[in-house]
Amino acid sequence: MWWIYALLSAVFAALTAVLAKVGIKGVDSNLATAIRTSFILVLAWGIVYFRGSVGELQHLSRTTWAFLGLSGLATGLSWIFYFKALQLAQVSQVAPVDKLSVALAIGLLVVFLGEKLTWQTGLGAGLILLGTLVLV
């Protein structure tokens, strides 16, 4: 089932790039990011509310709050820089560089979380890096 969710994530990420490129014309990229984030906020809390998960808030640890908060800050910074890059370049240039995050995440997971790096994962990360260089 994870494969379907991951594929849907990729489809919507691709749509994000195309829709954002059109939406940021003539708009400050930070304002565009704030508007986009407002929609995401309403969507995410709506899903939590309608699924009945709001009550789980009281069971979250401080560590969970801290790491989710840091993750949120990293996401916000990623979006701010992504929108600025989209204003300055074509989607076909920005999207491949943005997807370097996959190879970077693999490296960070190996170093900081101790995940095992298989030859297939290393090769895949290398191909992502090579593909980015070819596309840019």
Side-chain angles (χ1 to χ4, degrees), residues 14-55:
L15 281 172
T16 296
V18 174
L19 297 171
K21 182 64 176 180
V22 175
I24 61 172
K25 287 184 182 174
V27 178
D28 176 72
S29 62
N30 295 320
L31 176 60
T33 302
I35 292 168
R36 173 187 182 207
T37 304
S38 299
F39 279 92
I40 294 167
L41 185 68
V42 170
L43 174 68
W45 279 108
I47 291 169
V48 168
Y49 176 79
F50 286 110
R51 289 189 53 120
S53 302
V54 176

PDB file of all heavy atoms in Angstrom, residues 14-55:
ATOM      1  N   ALA A  14       4.626  16.777  -8.465  1.00  0.00           N
ATOM      2  CA  ALA A  14       4.808  17.282  -9.829  1.00  0.00           C
ATOM      3  C   ALA A  14       3.785  18.370 -10.138  1.00  0.00           C
ATOM      4  O   ALA A  14       4.118  19.412 -10.714  1.00  0.00           O
ATOM      5  CB  ALA A  14       4.696  16.141 -10.833  1.00  0.00           C
ATOM      6  N   LEU A  15       2.549  18.139  -9.732  1.00  0.00           N
ATOM      7  CA  LEU A  15       1.512  19.156  -9.933  1.00  0.00           C
ATOM      8  C   LEU A  15       1.839  20.431  -9.155  1.00  0.00           C
ATOM      9  O   LEU A  15       1.582  21.538  -9.635  1.00  0.00           O
ATOM     10  CB  LEU A  15       0.150  18.623  -9.489  1.00  0.00           C
ATOM     11  CG  LEU A  15      -0.555  17.694 -10.456  1.00  0.00           C
ATOM     12  CD1 LEU A  15      -1.797  17.079  -9.806  1.00  0.00           C
ATOM     13  CD2 LEU A  15      -0.935  18.429 -11.737  1.00  0.00           C
ATOM     14  N   THR A  16       2.414  20.267  -7.977  1.00  0.00           N
ATOM     15  CA  THR A  16       2.799  21.415  -7.161  1.00  0.00           C
ATOM     16  C   THR A  16       3.728  22.337  -7.932  1.00  0.00           C
ATOM     17  O   THR A  16       3.549  23.552  -7.942  1.00  0.00           O
ATOM     18  CB  THR A  16       3.502  20.946  -5.867  1.00  0.00           C
ATOM     19  OG1 THR A  16       2.582  20.198  -5.091  1.00  0.00           O
ATOM     20  CG2 THR A  16       4.012  22.116  -5.055  1.00  0.00           C
ATOM     21  N   ALA A  17       4.725  21.749  -8.585  1.00  0.00           N
ATOM     22  CA  ALA A  17       5.693  22.554  -9.326  1.00  0.00           C
ATOM     23  C   ALA A  17       5.026  23.317 -10.456  1.00  0.00           C
ATOM     24  O   ALA A  17       5.251  24.517 -10.626  1.00  0.00           O
ATOM     25  CB  ALA A  17       6.801  21.655  -9.875  1.00  0.00           C
ATOM     26  N   VAL A  18       4.187  22.642 -11.214  1.00  0.00           N
ATOM     27  CA  VAL A  18       3.532  23.270 -12.366  1.00  0.00           C
ATOM     28  C   VAL A  18       2.562  24.350 -11.908  1.00  0.00           C
ATOM     29  O   VAL A  18       2.579  25.479 -12.412  1.00  0.00           O
ATOM     30  CB  VAL A  18       2.806  22.213 -13.220  1.00  0.00           C
ATOM     31  CG1 VAL A  18       2.005  22.863 -14.328  1.00  0.00           C
ATOM     32  CG2 VAL A  18       3.807  21.209 -13.794  1.00  0.00           C
ATOM     33  N   LEU A  19       1.720  24.021 -10.938  1.00  0.00           N
ATOM     34  CA  LEU A  19       0.727  24.982 -10.446  1.00  0.00           C
ATOM     35  C   LEU A  19       1.398  26.177  -9.768  1.00  0.00           C
ATOM     36  O   LEU A  19       0.966  27.322  -9.925  1.00  0.00           O
ATOM     37  CB  LEU A  19      -0.247  24.299  -9.496  1.00  0.00           C
ATOM     38  CG  LEU A  19      -1.099  23.191 -10.115  1.00  0.00           C
ATOM     39  CD1 LEU A  19      -1.859  22.432  -9.037  1.00  0.00           C
ATOM     40  CD2 LEU A  19      -2.053  23.744 -11.161  1.00  0.00           C
ATOM     41  N   ALA A  20       2.461  25.915  -9.014  1.00  0.00           N
ATOM     42  CA  ALA A  20       3.169  27.006  -8.335  1.00  0.00           C
ATOM     43  C   ALA A  20       3.814  27.953  -9.335  1.00  0.00           C
ATOM     44  O   ALA A  20       3.779  29.170  -9.140  1.00  0.00           O
ATOM     45  CB  ALA A  20       4.217  26.437  -7.389  1.00  0.00           C
ATOM     46  N   LYS A  21       4.376  27.412 -10.388  1.00  0.00           N
ATOM     47  CA  LYS A  21       5.031  28.258 -11.388  1.00  0.00           C
ATOM     48  C   LYS A  21       4.035  29.255 -11.987  1.00  0.00           C
ATOM     49  O   LYS A  21       4.354  30.425 -12.165  1.00  0.00           O
ATOM     50  CB  LYS A  21       5.652  27.394 -12.498  1.00  0.00           C
ATOM     51  CG  LYS A  21       6.393  28.171 -13.553  1.00  0.00           C
ATOM     52  CD  LYS A  21       7.616  28.891 -12.997  1.00  0.00           C
ATOM     53  CE  LYS A  21       8.401  29.588 -14.097  1.00  0.00           C
ATOM     54  NZ  LYS A  21       9.563  30.287 -13.615  1.00  0.00           N
ATOM     55  N   VAL A  22       2.830  28.788 -12.241  1.00  0.00           N
ATOM     56  CA  VAL A  22       1.797  29.679 -12.771  1.00  0.00           C
ATOM     57  C   VAL A  22       1.327  30.652 -11.686  1.00  0.00           C
ATOM     58  O   VAL A  22       1.146  31.840 -11.941  1.00  0.00           O
ATOM     59  CB  VAL A  22       0.594  28.867 -13.318  1.00  0.00           C
ATOM     60  CG1 VAL A  22      -0.526  29.786 -13.760  1.00  0.00           C
ATOM     61  CG2 VAL A  22       1.042  27.968 -14.467  1.00  0.00           C
ATOM     62  N   GLY A  23       1.187  30.158 -10.457  1.00  0.00           N
ATOM     63  CA  GLY A  23       0.641  30.966  -9.366  1.00  0.00           C
ATOM     64  C   GLY A  23       1.555  32.056  -8.851  1.00  0.00           C
ATOM     65  O   GLY A  23       1.078  33.034  -8.281  1.00  0.00           O
ATOM     66  N   ILE A  24       2.858  31.921  -9.044  1.00  0.00           N
ATOM     67  CA  ILE A  24       3.767  32.912  -8.469  1.00  0.00           C
ATOM     68  C   ILE A  24       4.102  34.059  -9.411  1.00  0.00           C
ATOM     69  O   ILE A  24       4.839  34.969  -9.033  1.00  0.00           O
ATOM     70  CB  ILE A  24       5.083  32.265  -7.973  1.00  0.00           C
ATOM     71  CG1 ILE A  24       5.836  31.609  -9.121  1.00  0.00           C
ATOM     72  CG2 ILE A  24       4.834  31.326  -6.837  1.00  0.00           C
ATOM     73  CD1 ILE A  24       7.217  31.126  -8.734  1.00  0.00           C
ATOM     74  N   LYS A  25       3.532  34.049 -10.595  1.00  0.00           N
ATOM     75  CA  LYS A  25       3.812  35.141 -11.526  1.00  0.00           C
ATOM     76  C   LYS A  25       3.325  36.464 -10.947  1.00  0.00           C
ATOM     77  O   LYS A  25       2.155  36.622 -10.616  1.00  0.00           O
ATOM     78  CB  LYS A  25       3.146  34.885 -12.876  1.00  0.00           C
ATOM     79  CG  LYS A  25       3.831  33.804 -13.665  1.00  0.00           C
ATOM     80  CD  LYS A  25       3.228  33.632 -15.036  1.00  0.00           C
ATOM     81  CE  LYS A  25       3.931  32.512 -15.763  1.00  0.00           C
ATOM     82  NZ  LYS A  25       3.325  32.184 -17.027  1.00  0.00           N
ATOM     83  N   GLY A  26       4.234  37.402 -10.791  1.00  0.00           N
ATOM     84  CA  GLY A  26       3.878  38.731 -10.302  1.00  0.00           C
ATOM     85  C   GLY A  26       3.588  38.795  -8.810  1.00  0.00           C
ATOM     86  O   GLY A  26       3.040  39.773  -8.338  1.00  0.00           O
ATOM     87  N   VAL A  27       3.958  37.735  -8.063  1.00  0.00           N
ATOM     88  CA  VAL A  27       3.695  37.697  -6.621  1.00  0.00           C
ATOM     89  C   VAL A  27       5.017  37.440  -5.900  1.00  0.00           C
ATOM     90  O   VAL A  27       5.840  36.654  -6.361  1.00  0.00           O
ATOM     91  CB  VAL A  27       2.701  36.553  -6.277  1.00  0.00           C
ATOM     92  CG1 VAL A  27       2.459  36.455  -4.781  1.00  0.00           C
ATOM     93  CG2 VAL A  27       1.397  36.724  -7.024  1.00  0.00           C
ATOM     94  N   ASP A  28       5.225  38.101  -4.779  1.00  0.00           N
ATOM     95  CA  ASP A  28       6.393  37.834  -3.962  1.00  0.00           C
ATOM     96  C   ASP A  28       6.404  36.357  -3.577  1.00  0.00           C
ATOM     97  O   ASP A  28       5.379  35.814  -3.143  1.00  0.00           O
ATOM     98  CB  ASP A  28       6.367  38.712  -2.705  1.00  0.00           C
ATOM     99  CG  ASP A  28       7.501  38.399  -1.769  1.00  0.00           C
ATOM    100  OD1 ASP A  28       8.654  38.731  -2.087  1.00  0.00           O
ATOM    101  OD2 ASP A  28       7.223  37.779  -0.717  1.00  0.00           O
ATOM    102  N   SER A  29       7.548  35.692  -3.728  1.00  0.00           N
ATOM    103  CA  SER A  29       7.607  34.250  -3.481  1.00  0.00           C
ATOM    104  C   SER A  29       7.297  33.898  -2.025  1.00  0.00           C
ATOM    105  O   SER A  29       6.710  32.854  -1.744  1.00  0.00           O
ATOM    106  CB  SER A  29       8.978  33.691  -3.876  1.00  0.00           C
ATOM    107  OG  SER A  29      10.007  34.272  -3.103  1.00  0.00           O
ATOM    108  N   ASN A  30       7.651  34.777  -1.081  1.00  0.00           N
ATOM    109  CA  ASN A  30       7.340  34.512   0.326  1.00  0.00           C
ATOM    110  C   ASN A  30       5.848  34.610   0.593  1.00  0.00           C
ATOM    111  O   ASN A  30       5.281  33.817   1.346  1.00  0.00           O
ATOM    112  CB  ASN A  30       8.111  35.463   1.232  1.00  0.00           C
ATOM    113  CG  ASN A  30       9.600  35.237   1.142  1.00  0.00           C
ATOM    114  OD1 ASN A  30      10.077  34.115   1.074  1.00  0.00           O
ATOM    115  ND2 ASN A  30      10.351  36.324   1.105  1.00  0.00           N
ATOM    116  N   LEU A  31       5.190  35.586  -0.031  1.00  0.00           N
ATOM    117  CA  LEU A  31       3.740  35.694   0.090  1.00  0.00           C
ATOM    118  C   LEU A  31       3.070  34.466  -0.513  1.00  0.00           C
ATOM    119  O   LEU A  31       2.134  33.907   0.061  1.00  0.00           O
ATOM    120  CB  LEU A  31       3.237  36.971  -0.597  1.00  0.00           C
ATOM    121  CG  LEU A  31       1.720  37.167  -0.632  1.00  0.00           C
ATOM    122  CD1 LEU A  31       1.142  37.216   0.784  1.00  0.00           C
ATOM    123  CD2 LEU A  31       1.370  38.418  -1.416  1.00  0.00           C
ATOM    124  N   ALA A  32       3.565  34.032  -1.667  1.00  0.00           N
ATOM    125  CA  ALA A  32       3.008  32.839  -2.314  1.00  0.00           C
ATOM    126  C   ALA A  32       3.157  31.617  -1.413  1.00  0.00           C
ATOM    127  O   ALA A  32       2.234  30.797  -1.291  1.00  0.00           O
ATOM    128  CB  ALA A  32       3.695  32.605  -3.657  1.00  0.00           C
ATOM    129  N   THR A  33       4.313  31.496  -0.769  1.00  0.00           N
ATOM    130  CA  THR A  33       4.535  30.382   0.151  1.00  0.00           C
ATOM    131  C   THR A  33       3.559  30.444   1.325  1.00  0.00           C
ATOM    132  O   THR A  33       3.006  29.420   1.739  1.00  0.00           O
ATOM    133  CB  THR A  33       5.990  30.385   0.664  1.00  0.00           C
ATOM    134  OG1 THR A  33       6.876  30.293  -0.449  1.00  0.00           O
ATOM    135  CG2 THR A  33       6.243  29.223   1.609  1.00  0.00           C
ATOM    136  N   ALA A  34       3.337  31.629   1.865  1.00  0.00           N
ATOM    137  CA  ALA A  34       2.412  31.785   2.991  1.00  0.00           C
ATOM    138  C   ALA A  34       0.985  31.418   2.588  1.00  0.00           C
ATOM    139  O   ALA A  34       0.264  30.752   3.346  1.00  0.00           O
ATOM    140  CB  ALA A  34       2.469  33.218   3.522  1.00  0.00           C
ATOM    141  N   ILE A  35       0.579  31.835   1.401  1.00  0.00           N
ATOM    142  CA  ILE A  35      -0.767  31.499   0.917  1.00  0.00           C
ATOM    143  C   ILE A  35      -0.892  29.996   0.752  1.00  0.00           C
ATOM    144  O   ILE A  35      -1.869  29.376   1.212  1.00  0.00           O
ATOM    145  CB  ILE A  35      -1.070  32.239  -0.395  1.00  0.00           C
ATOM    146  CG1 ILE A  35      -1.191  33.746  -0.145  1.00  0.00           C
ATOM    147  CG2 ILE A  35      -2.335  31.691  -1.056  1.00  0.00           C
ATOM    148  CD1 ILE A  35      -1.199  34.587  -1.397  1.00  0.00           C
ATOM    149  N   ARG A  36       0.097  29.394   0.108  1.00  0.00           N
ATOM    150  CA  ARG A  36       0.089  27.941  -0.100  1.00  0.00           C
ATOM    151  C   ARG A  36       0.025  27.213   1.239  1.00  0.00           C
ATOM    152  O   ARG A  36      -0.734  26.255   1.413  1.00  0.00           O
ATOM    153  CB  ARG A  36       1.351  27.549  -0.862  1.00  0.00           C
ATOM    154  CG  ARG A  36       1.548  26.076  -1.008  1.00  0.00           C
ATOM    155  CD  ARG A  36       2.899  25.808  -1.629  1.00  0.00           C
ATOM    156  NE  ARG A  36       3.113  24.396  -1.837  1.00  0.00           N
ATOM    157  CZ  ARG A  36       4.289  23.843  -1.874  1.00  0.00           C
ATOM    158  NH1 ARG A  36       5.373  24.565  -1.736  1.00  0.00           N
ATOM    159  NH2 ARG A  36       4.410  22.553  -2.070  1.00  0.00           N
ATOM    160  N   THR A  37       0.826  27.669   2.202  1.00  0.00           N
ATOM    161  CA  THR A  37       0.878  27.037   3.514  1.00  0.00           C
ATOM    162  C   THR A  37      -0.463  27.140   4.233  1.00  0.00           C
ATOM    163  O   THR A  37      -0.867  26.211   4.940  1.00  0.00           O
ATOM    164  CB  THR A  37       2.000  27.665   4.353  1.00  0.00           C
ATOM    165  OG1 THR A  37       3.228  27.539   3.628  1.00  0.00           O
ATOM    166  CG2 THR A  37       2.138  26.989   5.694  1.00  0.00           C
ATOM    167  N   SER A  38      -1.171  28.246   4.048  1.00  0.00           N
ATOM    168  CA  SER A  38      -2.498  28.401   4.658  1.00  0.00           C
ATOM    169  C   SER A  38      -3.468  27.343   4.156  1.00  0.00           C
ATOM    170  O   SER A  38      -4.236  26.764   4.934  1.00  0.00           O
ATOM    171  CB  SER A  38      -3.054  29.797   4.369  1.00  0.00           C
ATOM    172  OG  SER A  38      -2.220  30.780   4.920  1.00  0.00           O
ATOM    173  N   PHE A  39      -3.418  27.067   2.873  1.00  0.00           N
ATOM    174  CA  PHE A  39      -4.273  26.022   2.317  1.00  0.00           C
ATOM    175  C   PHE A  39      -3.898  24.650   2.880  1.00  0.00           C
ATOM    176  O   PHE A  39      -4.764  23.836   3.215  1.00  0.00           O
ATOM    177  CB  PHE A  39      -4.198  26.002   0.785  1.00  0.00           C
ATOM    178  CG  PHE A  39      -5.063  27.033   0.134  1.00  0.00           C
ATOM    179  CD1 PHE A  39      -4.561  28.292  -0.175  1.00  0.00           C
ATOM    180  CD2 PHE A  39      -6.395  26.754  -0.174  1.00  0.00           C
ATOM    181  CE1 PHE A  39      -5.357  29.254  -0.761  1.00  0.00           C
ATOM    182  CE2 PHE A  39      -7.194  27.708  -0.765  1.00  0.00           C
ATOM    183  CZ  PHE A  39      -6.681  28.969  -1.071  1.00  0.00           C
ATOM    184  N   ILE A  40      -2.596  24.401   2.990  1.00  0.00           N
ATOM    185  CA  ILE A  40      -2.128  23.126   3.533  1.00  0.00           C
ATOM    186  C   ILE A  40      -2.566  22.980   4.989  1.00  0.00           C
ATOM    187  O   ILE A  40      -2.991  21.899   5.420  1.00  0.00           O
ATOM    188  CB  ILE A  40      -0.597  23.025   3.407  1.00  0.00           C
ATOM    189  CG1 ILE A  40      -0.200  22.975   1.934  1.00  0.00           C
ATOM    190  CG2 ILE A  40      -0.062  21.801   4.150  1.00  0.00           C
ATOM    191  CD1 ILE A  40       1.286  23.193   1.692  1.00  0.00           C
ATOM    192  N   LEU A  41      -2.457  24.050   5.742  1.00  0.00           N
ATOM    193  CA  LEU A  41      -2.851  24.038   7.149  1.00  0.00           C
ATOM    194  C   LEU A  41      -4.319  23.667   7.314  1.00  0.00           C
ATOM    195  O   LEU A  41      -4.670  22.792   8.116  1.00  0.00           O
ATOM    196  CB  LEU A  41      -2.564  25.414   7.770  1.00  0.00           C
ATOM    197  CG  LEU A  41      -2.790  25.554   9.260  1.00  0.00           C
ATOM    198  CD1 LEU A  41      -1.779  24.724  10.027  1.00  0.00           C
ATOM    199  CD2 LEU A  41      -2.655  27.020   9.662  1.00  0.00           C
ATOM    200  N   VAL A  42      -5.182  24.291   6.539  1.00  0.00           N
ATOM    201  CA  VAL A  42      -6.617  23.997   6.606  1.00  0.00           C
ATOM    202  C   VAL A  42      -6.879  22.543   6.193  1.00  0.00           C
ATOM    203  O   VAL A  42      -7.636  21.823   6.858  1.00  0.00           O
ATOM    204  CB  VAL A  42      -7.425  24.983   5.728  1.00  0.00           C
ATOM    205  CG1 VAL A  42      -8.872  24.548   5.589  1.00  0.00           C
ATOM    206  CG2 VAL A  42      -7.340  26.390   6.305  1.00  0.00           C
ATOM    207  N   LEU A  43      -6.238  22.101   5.123  1.00  0.00           N
ATOM    208  CA  LEU A  43      -6.422  20.728   4.656  1.00  0.00           C
ATOM    209  C   LEU A  43      -5.971  19.719   5.706  1.00  0.00           C
ATOM    210  O   LEU A  43      -6.693  18.781   6.046  1.00  0.00           O
ATOM    211  CB  LEU A  43      -5.657  20.510   3.348  1.00  0.00           C
ATOM    212  CG  LEU A  43      -5.647  19.073   2.820  1.00  0.00           C
ATOM    213  CD1 LEU A  43      -7.045  18.648   2.371  1.00  0.00           C
ATOM    214  CD2 LEU A  43      -4.655  18.928   1.683  1.00  0.00           C
ATOM    215  N   ALA A  44      -4.767  19.914   6.246  1.00  0.00           N
ATOM    216  CA  ALA A  44      -4.214  18.955   7.209  1.00  0.00           C
ATOM    217  C   ALA A  44      -5.055  18.876   8.482  1.00  0.00           C
ATOM    218  O   ALA A  44      -5.390  17.788   8.955  1.00  0.00           O
ATOM    219  CB  ALA A  44      -2.766  19.327   7.543  1.00  0.00           C
ATOM    220  N   TRP A  45      -5.426  20.028   9.046  1.00  0.00           N
ATOM    221  CA  TRP A  45      -6.237  20.010  10.265  1.00  0.00           C
ATOM    222  C   TRP A  45      -7.654  19.491   9.989  1.00  0.00           C
ATOM    223  O   TRP A  45      -8.267  18.855  10.848  1.00  0.00           O
ATOM    224  CB  TRP A  45      -6.268  21.384  10.928  1.00  0.00           C
ATOM    225  CG  TRP A  45      -5.035  21.607  11.751  1.00  0.00           C
ATOM    226  CD1 TRP A  45      -4.011  22.439  11.450  1.00  0.00           C
ATOM    227  CD2 TRP A  45      -4.684  20.952  12.967  1.00  0.00           C
ATOM    228  NE1 TRP A  45      -3.042  22.346  12.427  1.00  0.00           N
ATOM    229  CE2 TRP A  45      -3.432  21.448  13.366  1.00  0.00           C
ATOM    230  CE3 TRP A  45      -5.318  19.990  13.769  1.00  0.00           C
ATOM    231  CZ2 TRP A  45      -2.792  21.018  14.525  1.00  0.00           C
ATOM    232  CZ3 TRP A  45      -4.677  19.567  14.920  1.00  0.00           C
ATOM    233  CH2 TRP A  45      -3.428  20.075  15.294  1.00  0.00           C
ATOM    234  N   GLY A  46      -8.160  19.749   8.795  1.00  0.00           N
ATOM    235  CA  GLY A  46      -9.466  19.188   8.431  1.00  0.00           C
ATOM    236  C   GLY A  46      -9.439  17.674   8.414  1.00  0.00           C
ATOM    237  O   GLY A  46     -10.354  17.012   8.919  1.00  0.00           O
ATOM    238  N   ILE A  47      -8.380  17.106   7.844  1.00  0.00           N
ATOM    239  CA  ILE A  47      -8.247  15.647   7.818  1.00  0.00           C
ATOM    240  C   ILE A  47      -8.135  15.090   9.232  1.00  0.00           C
ATOM    241  O   ILE A  47      -8.794  14.106   9.582  1.00  0.00           O
ATOM    242  CB  ILE A  47      -7.024  15.232   6.959  1.00  0.00           C
ATOM    243  CG1 ILE A  47      -7.304  15.541   5.480  1.00  0.00           C
ATOM    244  CG2 ILE A  47      -6.693  13.759   7.154  1.00  0.00           C
ATOM    245  CD1 ILE A  47      -6.074  15.422   4.586  1.00  0.00           C
ATOM    246  N   VAL A  48      -7.315  15.735  10.073  1.00  0.00           N
ATOM    247  CA  VAL A  48      -7.153  15.299  11.461  1.00  0.00           C
ATOM    248  C   VAL A  48      -8.494  15.341  12.187  1.00  0.00           C
ATOM    249  O   VAL A  48      -8.869  14.402  12.896  1.00  0.00           O
ATOM    250  CB  VAL A  48      -6.098  16.161  12.194  1.00  0.00           C
ATOM    251  CG1 VAL A  48      -6.131  15.930  13.698  1.00  0.00           C
ATOM    252  CG2 VAL A  48      -4.716  15.886  11.631  1.00  0.00           C
ATOM    253  N   TYR A  49      -9.221  16.420  12.000  1.00  0.00           N
ATOM    254  CA  TYR A  49     -10.515  16.580  12.671  1.00  0.00           C
ATOM    255  C   TYR A  49     -11.512  15.515  12.218  1.00  0.00           C
ATOM    256  O   TYR A  49     -12.140  14.841  13.043  1.00  0.00           O
ATOM    257  CB  TYR A  49     -11.067  17.987  12.418  1.00  0.00           C
ATOM    258  CG  TYR A  49     -12.440  18.179  13.002  1.00  0.00           C
ATOM    259  CD1 TYR A  49     -12.601  18.416  14.364  1.00  0.00           C
ATOM    260  CD2 TYR A  49     -13.580  18.114  12.203  1.00  0.00           C
ATOM    261  CE1 TYR A  49     -13.865  18.581  14.919  1.00  0.00           C
ATOM    262  CE2 TYR A  49     -14.840  18.271  12.740  1.00  0.00           C
ATOM    263  CZ  TYR A  49     -14.990  18.506  14.102  1.00  0.00           C
ATOM    264  OH  TYR A  49     -16.235  18.655  14.640  1.00  0.00           O
ATOM    265  N   PHE A  50     -11.663  15.355  10.923  1.00  0.00           N
ATOM    266  CA  PHE A  50     -12.667  14.418  10.417  1.00  0.00           C
ATOM    267  C   PHE A  50     -12.296  12.959  10.643  1.00  0.00           C
ATOM    268  O   PHE A  50     -13.169  12.094  10.668  1.00  0.00           O
ATOM    269  CB  PHE A  50     -12.967  14.686   8.938  1.00  0.00           C
ATOM    270  CG  PHE A  50     -13.792  15.920   8.735  1.00  0.00           C
ATOM    271  CD1 PHE A  50     -13.241  17.048   8.151  1.00  0.00           C
ATOM    272  CD2 PHE A  50     -15.108  15.979   9.165  1.00  0.00           C
ATOM    273  CE1 PHE A  50     -13.999  18.196   7.982  1.00  0.00           C
ATOM    274  CE2 PHE A  50     -15.872  17.127   9.016  1.00  0.00           C
ATOM    275  CZ  PHE A  50     -15.319  18.240   8.417  1.00  0.00           C
ATOM    276  N   ARG A  51     -11.026  12.669  10.829  1.00  0.00           N
ATOM    277  CA  ARG A  51     -10.605  11.301  11.150  1.00  0.00           C
ATOM    278  C   ARG A  51     -10.671  11.042  12.651  1.00  0.00           C
ATOM    279  O   ARG A  51     -10.431   9.925  13.104  1.00  0.00           O
ATOM    280  CB  ARG A  51      -9.206  11.033  10.631  1.00  0.00           C
ATOM    281  CG  ARG A  51      -9.164  10.936   9.107  1.00  0.00           C
ATOM    282  CD  ARG A  51      -7.834  10.455   8.650  1.00  0.00           C
ATOM    283  NE  ARG A  51      -7.477   9.219   9.339  1.00  0.00           N
ATOM    284  CZ  ARG A  51      -7.236   8.067   8.737  1.00  0.00           C
ATOM    285  NH1 ARG A  51      -7.308   7.994   7.449  1.00  0.00           N
ATOM    286  NH2 ARG A  51      -6.897   7.001   9.426  1.00  0.00           N
ATOM    287  N   GLY A  52     -10.936  12.091  13.421  1.00  0.00           N
ATOM    288  CA  GLY A  52     -11.055  11.933  14.866  1.00  0.00           C
ATOM    289  C   GLY A  52      -9.725  11.780  15.587  1.00  0.00           C
ATOM    290  O   GLY A  52      -9.668  11.158  16.651  1.00  0.00           O
ATOM    291  N   SER A  53      -8.666  12.343  15.049  1.00  0.00           N
ATOM    292  CA  SER A  53      -7.335  12.173  15.625  1.00  0.00           C
ATOM    293  C   SER A  53      -6.904  13.322  16.535  1.00  0.00           C
ATOM    294  O   SER A  53      -5.803  13.283  17.090  1.00  0.00           O
ATOM    295  CB  SER A  53      -6.304  12.021  14.505  1.00  0.00           C
ATOM    296  OG  SER A  53      -6.611  10.934  13.671  1.00  0.00           O
ATOM    297  N   VAL A  54      -7.738  14.331  16.705  1.00  0.00           N
ATOM    298  CA  VAL A  54      -7.357  15.503  17.502  1.00  0.00           C
ATOM    299  C   VAL A  54      -7.006  15.105  18.935  1.00  0.00           C
ATOM    300  O   VAL A  54      -6.082  15.650  19.534  1.00  0.00           O
ATOM    301  CB  VAL A  54      -8.469  16.576  17.493  1.00  0.00           C
ATOM    302  CG1 VAL A  54      -8.121  17.755  18.383  1.00  0.00           C
ATOM    303  CG2 VAL A  54      -8.741  17.048  16.074  1.00  0.00           C
ATOM    304  N   GLY A  55      -7.699  14.124  19.475  1.00  0.00           N
ATOM    305  CA  GLY A  55      -7.464  13.686  20.848  1.00  0.00           C
ATOM    306  C   GLY A  55      -6.071  13.123  21.078  1.00  0.00           C
ATOM    307  O   GLY A  55      -5.597  13.068  22.227  1.00  0.00           O
TER     308      GLY A  55
END
